[in-house]
Each structure stands twice: as C-alpha cells, then as structure tokens.
Amino acid sequence: MLKIHYAPDNASLIIRLVLEELGEPYETVLVDRASNAQRSAAYLQVNPMGTIPALETADGVIFETAAIILWLTDRAERLAPAKDGPERGLFLSWLMVASNGLQNDLRQHFYAERFAAGPANEFRALVSMRLREHLDRFEALLDQGHSWFGADEPTALDFYVTVPLRWFALYLKDEDWFSLTDWPRLRDLAEKIEQRASMQAAIQAEGLGATPLTVPSPAQPPEGAAL
C-alpha cells in the first residue's frame, strides 16, 4: 500500500486529494512540523530534501509534489491527459508552472528570511508581484476552455492550483492586495473543488473547516500541527 508522509495543511494536502480522487488505498505517516521532524535524520532518510510530502511506493520513495502527481496519474491513467495525447505537453508545462512558479514563490514568500539577500519585507514585495502574475495567468488559462483545467471533471492541475488559494488567504492576510474575488474564475473552480468527495475527506482528516479554499480558516487537525 502507498504511504504518504504528510503534515496537516501542507503541500501533502494536494497529494491526499489526488489519492482520494483516484480511489487509491493509502496510509499516512505524520511528519510533525512542530518538532521540526522534517529535518530529522529519520525523515531525511525518506526524503533528503527535508520537504513534505514524500510517497513511499513498492518501487521506492518519490518526493517533490509534481513528481508524485505525475507518478500517480501516469500509473492510474487518470486526472491528466494521456501520455501520448496532443494535450499532454501543454498540461505538463502548466503543471511545472504550478510547481516551479506558484508553489515555489509561495514558499519564498512564507520563508523570505531564508531566501532574501537583503530586507525580507522588500523581498516579499517582489515575490508578491510574481504571485499576482501567477494568479492572473491561471485565471486567463481558465478562460481558454481546456479539457485539463477547469473542465467538468477535474485533473491534478485543478487541485495543484486551487489548494494554494487557502494559503494566500491565510498567510498573506497582512497584505492588502489579495482577495479571491478579484480572480472570479479561480474562485468558481475553488468552490467546485470544495464540493468534491475528495475534499470532504481531506477536511475531516486535516481539520480544514467547511470552506477550505474560498473562505478558509486555520486548520484544526486531529494530529500534528499546521505550520
């Protein structure tokens, strides 16, 4: 059985949703961020990057969110365009934008002191500009009618883009530029994802509240800490 190393309300939430959508049996292993367990020798043996999530499989451990997504969707042949399909290349491009752009810039914003060569507040202001641009791009992409983003049946990209919206609202609240209503297509997609059975399962497992993407509240997980 697959085993996901997770922390509540972290990037592992995206993988949990994909696993739930696929109906894939899995076990969870808590990485307790309150005790900095992601930096422990034991966890670094699982994931040498010291990041969350990691997925244990019969073939070994996979880490990095996008890599796990691709492994799961290719294996199941669901939640992504077919490997030999004409839409595959563009889907992969935007998946990497979500990974290397949106997720990475959010991480740099949250932990600006680790990344900034100068004052952290100045660095955050620059990253905020990039984050707004990411939201604008995905908002425009939703207007293009692709079958792999914002369609009737979700793909892994839908989850990868909408889950971070809760972190915008929760952790950028001291900045006055973010309101999800300014990106109405993204808001509509987030509302649709909230109603999925996969999200309802995640809400229960991680204490995410009734509207975790559109009107989020801090997680109250039954185990671990959302940091």
Side-chain angles (χ1 to χ4, degrees):
M1 182 181 293
L2 299 175
K3 184 181 297 184
I4 182 172
H5 294 255
Y6 91 106
D9 203 13
N10 277 238
S12 50
L13 173 58
I14 300 164
I15 303 304
R16 182 191 290 274
L17 291 168
V18 170
L19 287 165
E20 290 285 342
E21 286 286 329
L22 294 174
E24 183 75 57
Y26 65 95
E27 298 175 350
T28 59
V29 179
L30 176 68
V31 183
D32 185 11
R33 294 193 61 190
S35 62
N36 210 31
Q38 73 273 21
R39 298 295 181 187
S40 69
Y43 186 66
L44 291 174
Q45 288 293 315
V46 176
N47 179 359
M49 299 304 293
T51 55
I52 303 167
L55 185 72
E56 287 191 57
T57 80
D59 300 320
V61 177
I62 308 167
F63 48 91
E64 296 297 318
T65 305
I68 298 171
I69 285 173
L70 284 173
W71 188 87
L72 288 171
T73 57
D74 283 356
R75 179 171 175 264
E77 298 184 340
R78 288 182 53 211
L79 299 184
K83 287 184 285 186
D84 58 353
E87 299 174 314
R88 177 71 169 189
L90 198 53
F91 170 83
L92 291 178
S93 295
W94 283 103
L95 188 71
M96 294 307 111
V97 171
S99 174
N100 299 335
L102 180 64
Q103 183 182 7
N104 186 56
D105 280 337
L106 270 175
R107 186 167 182 265
Q108 291 195 23
H109 190 285
F110 297 160
Y111 307 113
E113 291 79 8
R114 300 181 189 175
F115 295 98
N121 286 342
E122 292 181 9
F123 180 76
R124 280 196 178 94
L126 291 173
V127 177
S128 289
M129 291 177 60
R130 298 202 300 264
L131 289 170
R132 286 195 294 268
E133 291 171 353
H134 292 315
L135 295 176
D136 289 344
R137 292 187 188 102
F138 282 113
E139 179 78 3
L141 187 64
L142 284 169
D143 196 36
Q144 295 177 14
H146 296 290
S147 63
W148 42 264
F149 188 50
D152 290 340
E153 288 299 317
T155 68
L157 184 62
D158 293 83
F159 296 103
Y160 209 162
V161 172
T162 55
V163 167
L165 296 176
R166 70 176 272 104
W167 303 326
F168 275 87
L170 290 174
Y171 304 121
L172 277 67
K173 58 181 180 293
D174 293 334
E175 301 186 20
D176 60 5
W177 64 266
F178 178 75
S179 173
L180 188 53
T181 57
D182 292 337
W183 291 274
R185 295 185 186 91
L186 282 170
R187 191 194 185 286
D188 289 347
L189 178 58
E191 190 173 53
K192 184 171 72 172
I193 295 298
E194 278 180 342
Q195 297 169 12
R196 303 284 300 181
S198 58
M199 180 59 81
Q200 296 304 307
I203 286 170
Q204 294 299 314
E206 302 194 16
L208 301 177
T211 53
L213 304 181
T214 55
V215 189
S217 56
Q220 301 293 325
E223 65 172 0
L227 298 174

